[in-house]
Amino acid sequence: MEIRNSTVFITGANRGLGLAFAREAVRRGAKKVYAGMRNTGGFDEPGVEPIRIDVTDPATIAAAAETAADTTILINNAGIAALIDNPLATDFEMQSKSLFDTNYYGLARVTQAFEPVLSKQPKAAIINVLSDIVWLPRPYLAPYAASKAAAWSYTNQVRFHLADRGIQVLGLHVGFLDTDLTNGIDVPKTSPADVAIRTYDALAKGKSEIMADEGTILLKSTLADDVPGYITPRAGLF
C-alpha cells in the first residue's frame, strides 16, 4: 500500500520514530497525517495534525478513532522501555505490568478501536512497531522483551484474522534506534528516518514483515540454525 494520498494515524508521534514516520508520510504525499500523543501542547509540525491519545486510556483511544475516522494506515508506534537488573529482580513483575500495559495491551486496544475504521476503506494497512529484542537475550531488558514478544504474536494473529478484509498488516522489527528512549545505552543505533523510509518501502511492496536494520536482518537469519542467535548470540548481534 502506498503512502501517497493515504491518511496516516501514528501513535507516539511527538518524537523519535513516530515523528520520523509522520515527516516521511508528509514527504511522500499523504493526504493527511495524524500524530497521536498524550500531550499535544507545543507540538508544531508542518502538515501534521496532533491528536490526543493515551494507549493506556480506552476513552482517549475511542475519541481518537472517532476524530480520525478517515484513517487508512494505522501505525502502532507508542511504546516505553525500562532497564532492570536481571530477569529475577524483585521489581520484575512491577516493571512488566507497566510495559505490557503500553507495549502489548496498548497496541491491541488501538488496533481494536481502529479496525472498524480501516475495514470501511477500499485499501488499509496496519504497521506494528516490534523489536529484535524478541529474539535477542538482553537480561536488563527482560520485561520489555516479553512485552514486544507478546506484541509480535498478536501481530501475527491479527494479520491472519484481517487477511480477508483486505487490511495489510506489517510487522516492523528493529534494533536500537537513536532516540530519547535509548539514551544511556551504549550500543550501535539506527536513524529513525532511515527506518521510516525502509518501512514505507516495504509497505508499498506488499510485505508482511520487515527487518529494518542490518543487525536485525542478521539475527533473523539465524532463527533456523541448530543453535540460533537467541541461544548463543554471535558476533554482530551485540
Side-chain angles (χ1 to χ4, degrees):
M1 184 172 177
E2 295 285 350
I3 299 300
R4 177 171 292 278
N5 296 323
S6 65
T7 298
V8 184
F9 188 101
I10 308 155
T11 65
N14 58 314
R15 60 182 181 178
L17 181 58
L19 183 56
F21 273 128
R23 288 171 173 168
E24 183 63 16
V26 171
R27 192 186 72 80
R28 293 191 181 214
K31 180 169 58 178
K32 188 181 295 184
V33 179
Y34 295 112
M37 60 194 73
R38 285 178 293 182
N39 182 5
T40 60
F43 183 84
D44 184 14
E45 182 69 28
V48 180
E49 181 179 337
I51 290 185
R52 182 173 179 269
I53 185 172
D54 180 341
V55 301
T56 68
D57 181 353
T60 67
I61 296 171
E66 182 177 357
T67 299
D70 54 345
T71 296
T72 58
I73 298 176
L74 169 66
I75 303 180
N76 283 309
N77 167 74
I80 59 175
L83 301 180
I84 197 168
D85 287 341
N86 61 68
L88 303 178
T90 56
D91 59 342
F92 176 82
E93 182 175 348
M94 180 190 68
Q95 293 280 18
S96 295
K97 287 179 178 178
S98 175
L99 293 172
F100 265 77
D101 197 26
T102 294
N103 299 347
Y104 174 57
Y105 292 116
L107 180 149
R109 292 183 191 108
V110 176
T111 301
Q112 288 176 313
F114 274 81
E115 180 275 324
V117 169
L118 298 174
S119 290
K120 292 178 182 177
Q121 305 295 342
K123 287 186 177 181
I126 299 171
I127 298 173
N128 286 343
V129 178
L130 307 171
S131 174
D132 68 351
I133 198 68
V134 303
W135 307 305
L136 189 61
R138 292 184 184 273
Y140 59 88
L141 286 171
Y144 177 73
S147 70
K148 285 296 187 178
W152 176 41
S153 179
Y154 182 80
T155 298
N156 295 334
Q157 304 302 326
V158 167
R159 181 187 300 112
F160 186 83
H161 179 68
L162 296 179
D164 61 352
R165 303 183 199 183
I167 299 176
Q168 180 184 351
V169 177
L170 175 65
L172 161 62
H173 291 277
V174 65
F176 285 101
L177 294 170
D178 190 9
T179 67
D180 294 345
L181 197 63
T182 62
N183 280 346
I185 303 177
D186 185 18
V187 295
K189 300 173 185 177
T190 306
S191 161
D194 290 344
V195 172
I197 291 169
R198 290 190 183 190
T199 303
Y200 285 152
D201 287 348
L203 187 73
K205 293 175 182 176
K207 292 187 176 182
S208 297
E209 195 170 58
I210 177 175
M211 308 296 120
D213 58 77
E214 298 308 314
T216 304
I217 292 170
L218 175 61
L219 178 58
K220 178 72 181 299
S221 72
T222 75
L223 297 188
D225 292 351
D226 288 341
V227 183
Y230 60 81
I231 292 178
T232 304
R234 60 210 64 184
L237 298 183
F238 273 90

